[in-house]
Amino acid sequence: MTAQQVLKEFEKLGSESTRKTLLRHGAREPLFGVKIGDMQKLRRQIKVDHQLALDLFDTCNYDAMYFAHLIADDARMTKKDLRKWVKNAYGASLAGTVVPAVASGSPHGPALALEWMDAKSDTTAAAGWNTFSHIISVQADDDLNIPGLKKLIKRAEKEIKKAGNETRYAMNNFVIACGCFVAPLFETALKAAEKIGHVEIDHGDTACQTPFAPDYIRKVEKMGRIGKKKKSAKC
């Protein structure tokens, strides 16, 4: 399929109610309002088509940009590609899911995440923290830089209250991810979460709420799921 063929398919699948919901959550025009469930059907048909993914992201259509990460070949993403994607990830799920999920599966994920975390752009900095959250959600603990992650937890603890809105949310999620997905970081993350306390986030005109990290981590502990990894960073 070509990018234009995918866009025509999305135009058929889009709904006004989904479009309005996505706009409230930070998406921008142009978009058709395609449900992720409908995207998954097309994803199963296409599977992986890296060039199509790049072409779709370049359309700047929100639905197409989201779908692009589902069919991208993460290992083939270059630093140039990922920097281009993060530059155009204006918010919503683009900086929270799309770019981090693909970056986490590329060889450049950790290095670019650290680069992005120092960016002046709130959205780009958030993408950096989100990338690490995606990395640790799927990689085996033995493959992770545990000392480096401990330093990042301390950094989040120190900087979160002064960070931008999107970055605060990403930092809070990062601490939660460390406590839930990485068994050796459970205690460190929980202590940091308790010191951080409640994090104020402006979610706009949505019903979204900011998770209270200590409670979230303890809930996962009670479920006996600390250290349980996800099968994929993409959803």
Side-chain angles (χ1 to χ4, degrees), residues 114-134:
L114 290 172
E115 174 186 308
W116 296 340
M117 286 161 57
D118 290 332
K120 293 182 179 179
S121 164
D122 186 24
T123 300
T124 300
W129 288 96
N130 287 324
T131 297
F132 269 113
S133 293
H134 280 70

Side-chain angles (χ1 to χ4, degrees), residues 129 132-133 136-137 141 144-146 148-154 156 171-190 192 217 226-227 229:
W129 288 96
F132 269 113
S133 293
I136 64 180
S137 74
D141 291 349
L144 297 172
N145 179 359
I146 301 300
L149 290 171
K150 285 184 177 180
K151 290 181 181 179
L152 290 179
I153 292 173
K154 292 297 182 183
M171 284 178 166
N172 191 58
N173 287 340
F174 169 76
V175 173
I176 291 173
C178 286
C180 295
F181 290 115
V182 189
L185 294 178
F186 169 75
E187 292 291 346
T188 302
L190 182 57
I217 295 171
I226 296 297
K229 304 289 184 175

